[in-house]
mmCIF file of all heavy atoms in Angstrom:
data_model
loop_
_atom_site.group_PDB
_atom_site.id
_atom_site.type_symbol
_atom_site.label_atom_id
_atom_site.label_comp_id
_atom_site.label_asym_id
_atom_site.label_seq_id
_atom_site.Cartn_x
_atom_site.Cartn_y
_atom_site.Cartn_z
ATOM 1 N N GLY A 1504 -9.197 -23.650 13.503
ATOM 2 C CA GLY A 1504 -9.053 -24.712 12.526
ATOM 3 C C GLY A 1504 -9.718 -24.428 11.193
ATOM 4 O O GLY A 1504 -9.523 -25.180 10.234
ATOM 5 N N THR A 1505 -10.517 -23.384 11.132
ATOM 6 C CA THR A 1505 -11.138 -23.059 9.866
ATOM 7 C C THR A 1505 -10.073 -22.612 8.875
ATOM 8 O O THR A 1505 -9.280 -21.734 9.158
ATOM 9 C CB THR A 1505 -12.144 -21.912 10.042
ATOM 10 O OG1 THR A 1505 -13.027 -22.266 11.101
ATOM 11 C CG2 THR A 1505 -12.954 -21.712 8.768
ATOM 12 N N VAL A 1506 -10.076 -23.217 7.699
ATOM 13 C CA VAL A 1506 -9.097 -22.858 6.692
ATOM 14 C C VAL A 1506 -9.823 -22.283 5.479
ATOM 15 O O VAL A 1506 -10.778 -22.883 5.010
ATOM 16 C CB VAL A 1506 -8.282 -24.077 6.245
ATOM 17 C CG1 VAL A 1506 -7.408 -23.730 5.061
ATOM 18 C CG2 VAL A 1506 -7.439 -24.589 7.385
ATOM 19 N N LEU A 1507 -9.406 -21.113 5.056
ATOM 20 C CA LEU A 1507 -9.930 -20.593 3.796
ATOM 21 C C LEU A 1507 -8.825 -20.759 2.778
ATOM 22 O O LEU A 1507 -7.783 -20.122 2.863
ATOM 23 C CB LEU A 1507 -10.330 -19.126 3.921
ATOM 24 C CG LEU A 1507 -10.928 -18.572 2.625
ATOM 25 C CD1 LEU A 1507 -12.362 -19.022 2.472
ATOM 26 C CD2 LEU A 1507 -10.842 -17.077 2.594
ATOM 27 N N ASN A 1508 -9.073 -21.628 1.842
ATOM 28 C CA ASN A 1508 -8.072 -21.903 0.820
ATOM 29 C C ASN A 1508 -8.156 -20.819 -0.254
ATOM 30 O O ASN A 1508 -9.129 -20.727 -0.960
ATOM 31 C CB ASN A 1508 -8.340 -23.271 0.190
ATOM 32 C CG ASN A 1508 -7.296 -23.631 -0.819
ATOM 33 O OD1 ASN A 1508 -6.245 -22.982 -0.892
ATOM 34 N ND2 ASN A 1508 -7.558 -24.663 -1.596
ATOM 35 N N ILE A 1509 -7.149 -19.956 -0.301
ATOM 36 C CA ILE A 1509 -7.190 -18.861 -1.259
ATOM 37 C C ILE A 1509 -6.921 -19.377 -2.665
ATOM 38 O O ILE A 1509 -7.655 -19.096 -3.586
ATOM 39 C CB ILE A 1509 -6.148 -17.781 -0.888
ATOM 40 C CG1 ILE A 1509 -6.425 -17.260 0.506
ATOM 41 C CG2 ILE A 1509 -6.214 -16.652 -1.885
ATOM 42 C CD1 ILE A 1509 -7.724 -16.534 0.667
ATOM 43 N N GLU A 1510 -5.841 -20.150 -2.803
ATOM 44 C CA GLU A 1510 -5.563 -20.708 -4.130
ATOM 45 C C GLU A 1510 -4.387 -21.668 -4.049
ATOM 46 O O GLU A 1510 -3.619 -21.667 -3.105
ATOM 47 C CB GLU A 1510 -5.253 -19.600 -5.134
ATOM 48 C CG GLU A 1510 -3.934 -18.911 -4.872
ATOM 49 C CD GLU A 1510 -3.631 -17.819 -5.872
ATOM 50 O OE1 GLU A 1510 -3.838 -18.022 -7.076
ATOM 51 O OE2 GLU A 1510 -3.151 -16.759 -5.451
ATOM 52 N N THR A 1511 -4.259 -22.473 -5.092
ATOM 53 C CA THR A 1511 -3.092 -23.330 -5.226
ATOM 54 C C THR A 1511 -2.264 -22.782 -6.382
ATOM 55 O O THR A 1511 -2.803 -22.428 -7.415
ATOM 56 C CB THR A 1511 -3.535 -24.787 -5.552
ATOM 57 O OG1 THR A 1511 -4.306 -25.272 -4.454
ATOM 58 C CG2 THR A 1511 -2.340 -25.676 -5.746
ATOM 59 N N ILE A 1512 -0.972 -22.684 -6.184
ATOM 60 C CA ILE A 1512 -0.083 -22.184 -7.234
ATOM 61 C C ILE A 1512 0.850 -23.312 -7.673
ATOM 62 O O ILE A 1512 1.512 -23.925 -6.847
ATOM 63 C CB ILE A 1512 0.748 -20.986 -6.718
ATOM 64 C CG1 ILE A 1512 -0.186 -19.871 -6.258
ATOM 65 C CG2 ILE A 1512 1.690 -20.492 -7.815
ATOM 66 C CD1 ILE A 1512 0.533 -18.733 -5.567
ATOM 67 N N ASN A 1513 0.858 -23.591 -8.953
ATOM 68 C CA ASN A 1513 1.732 -24.603 -9.517
ATOM 69 C C ASN A 1513 2.919 -23.952 -10.195
ATOM 70 O O ASN A 1513 2.835 -22.828 -10.688
ATOM 71 C CB ASN A 1513 0.963 -25.439 -10.537
ATOM 72 C CG ASN A 1513 -0.167 -26.227 -9.900
ATOM 73 O OD1 ASN A 1513 0.031 -26.964 -8.950
ATOM 74 N ND2 ASN A 1513 -1.377 -26.030 -10.407
ATOM 75 N N ALA A 1514 4.044 -24.684 -10.281
ATOM 76 C CA ALA A 1514 5.202 -24.223 -11.031
ATOM 77 C C ALA A 1514 4.881 -24.301 -12.517
ATOM 78 O O ALA A 1514 4.099 -25.178 -12.925
ATOM 79 C CB ALA A 1514 6.399 -25.089 -10.698
ATOM 80 N N PRO A 1515 5.449 -23.456 -13.358
ATOM 81 C CA PRO A 1515 6.296 -22.344 -12.986
ATOM 82 C C PRO A 1515 5.473 -21.056 -12.884
ATOM 83 O O PRO A 1515 4.878 -20.616 -13.861
ATOM 84 C CB PRO A 1515 7.276 -22.256 -14.153
ATOM 85 C CG PRO A 1515 6.498 -22.764 -15.342
ATOM 86 C CD PRO A 1515 5.370 -23.629 -14.818
ATOM 87 N N ASN A 1516 5.456 -20.474 -11.695
ATOM 88 C CA ASN A 1516 4.659 -19.263 -11.456
ATOM 89 C C ASN A 1516 5.271 -18.439 -10.329
ATOM 90 O O ASN A 1516 5.909 -19.007 -9.435
ATOM 91 C CB ASN A 1516 3.234 -19.648 -11.073
ATOM 92 C CG ASN A 1516 2.284 -19.612 -12.237
ATOM 93 O OD1 ASN A 1516 2.214 -18.630 -12.973
ATOM 94 N ND2 ASN A 1516 1.521 -20.686 -12.420
ATOM 95 N N PRO A 1517 5.070 -17.117 -10.359
ATOM 96 C CA PRO A 1517 5.568 -16.284 -9.286
ATOM 97 C C PRO A 1517 4.615 -16.316 -8.093
ATOM 98 O O PRO A 1517 3.435 -16.616 -8.259
ATOM 99 C CB PRO A 1517 5.592 -14.891 -9.906
ATOM 100 C CG PRO A 1517 4.514 -14.938 -10.927
ATOM 101 C CD PRO A 1517 4.419 -16.342 -11.431
ATOM 102 N N LEU A 1518 5.131 -16.034 -6.901
ATOM 103 C CA LEU A 1518 4.306 -15.942 -5.701
ATOM 104 C C LEU A 1518 4.171 -14.486 -5.296
ATOM 105 O O LEU A 1518 5.148 -13.820 -5.066
ATOM 106 C CB LEU A 1518 4.966 -16.718 -4.547
ATOM 107 C CG LEU A 1518 5.408 -18.165 -4.801
ATOM 108 C CD1 LEU A 1518 6.006 -18.737 -3.523
ATOM 109 C CD2 LEU A 1518 4.232 -18.984 -5.267
ATOM 110 N N ALA A 1519 2.932 -14.008 -5.255
ATOM 111 C CA ALA A 1519 2.659 -12.661 -4.737
ATOM 112 C C ALA A 1519 3.552 -11.578 -5.325
ATOM 113 O O ALA A 1519 4.116 -10.781 -4.581
ATOM 114 C CB ALA A 1519 2.771 -12.648 -3.217
ATOM 115 N N PRO A 1520 3.735 -11.533 -6.665
ATOM 116 C CA PRO A 1520 4.640 -10.540 -7.243
ATOM 117 C C PRO A 1520 4.165 -9.113 -6.985
ATOM 118 O O PRO A 1520 4.955 -8.184 -7.004
ATOM 119 C CB PRO A 1520 4.610 -10.869 -8.728
ATOM 120 C CG PRO A 1520 3.314 -11.558 -8.958
ATOM 121 C CD PRO A 1520 3.048 -12.318 -7.684
ATOM 122 N N ALA A 1521 2.878 -8.956 -6.755
ATOM 123 C CA ALA A 1521 2.346 -7.613 -6.555
ATOM 124 C C ALA A 1521 2.859 -6.999 -5.263
ATOM 125 O O ALA A 1521 3.023 -5.783 -5.163
ATOM 126 C CB ALA A 1521 0.829 -7.631 -6.548
ATOM 127 N N PHE A 1522 3.138 -7.839 -4.282
ATOM 128 C CA PHE A 1522 3.454 -7.303 -2.976
ATOM 129 C C PHE A 1522 4.895 -6.817 -2.863
ATOM 130 O O PHE A 1522 5.255 -6.144 -1.907
ATOM 131 C CB PHE A 1522 3.120 -8.338 -1.892
ATOM 132 C CG PHE A 1522 1.647 -8.505 -1.758
ATOM 133 C CD1 PHE A 1522 0.960 -9.390 -2.552
ATOM 134 C CD2 PHE A 1522 0.935 -7.697 -0.886
ATOM 135 C CE1 PHE A 1522 -0.406 -9.511 -2.452
ATOM 136 C CE2 PHE A 1522 -0.451 -7.796 -0.784
ATOM 137 C CZ PHE A 1522 -1.124 -8.712 -1.585
ATOM 138 N N LEU A 1523 5.682 -7.140 -3.856
ATOM 139 C CA LEU A 1523 7.066 -6.679 -3.867
ATOM 140 C C LEU A 1523 7.153 -5.160 -3.846
ATOM 141 O O LEU A 1523 8.054 -4.581 -3.244
ATOM 142 C CB LEU A 1523 7.755 -7.239 -5.125
ATOM 143 C CG LEU A 1523 9.208 -6.884 -5.353
ATOM 144 C CD1 LEU A 1523 10.069 -7.245 -4.146
ATOM 145 C CD2 LEU A 1523 9.719 -7.607 -6.588
ATOM 146 N N PHE A 1524 6.196 -4.500 -4.503
ATOM 147 C CA PHE A 1524 6.242 -3.044 -4.597
ATOM 148 C C PHE A 1524 5.253 -2.325 -3.706
ATOM 149 O O PHE A 1524 5.117 -1.123 -3.771
ATOM 150 C CB PHE A 1524 5.980 -2.629 -6.059
ATOM 151 C CG PHE A 1524 7.089 -3.020 -6.982
ATOM 152 C CD1 PHE A 1524 7.018 -4.207 -7.699
ATOM 153 C CD2 PHE A 1524 8.215 -2.213 -7.115
ATOM 154 C CE1 PHE A 1524 8.048 -4.572 -8.563
ATOM 155 C CE2 PHE A 1524 9.239 -2.581 -7.964
ATOM 156 C CZ PHE A 1524 9.167 -3.757 -8.696
#
Side-chain angles (χ1 to χ4, degrees):
Chain A
T1505 308
V1506 172
L1507 182 78
N1508 184 12
I1509 302 295
E1510 69 180 318
T1511 297
I1512 302 172
N1513 296 305
N1516 263 310
L1518 308 181
F1522 290 87
L1523 180 54
F1524 292 95

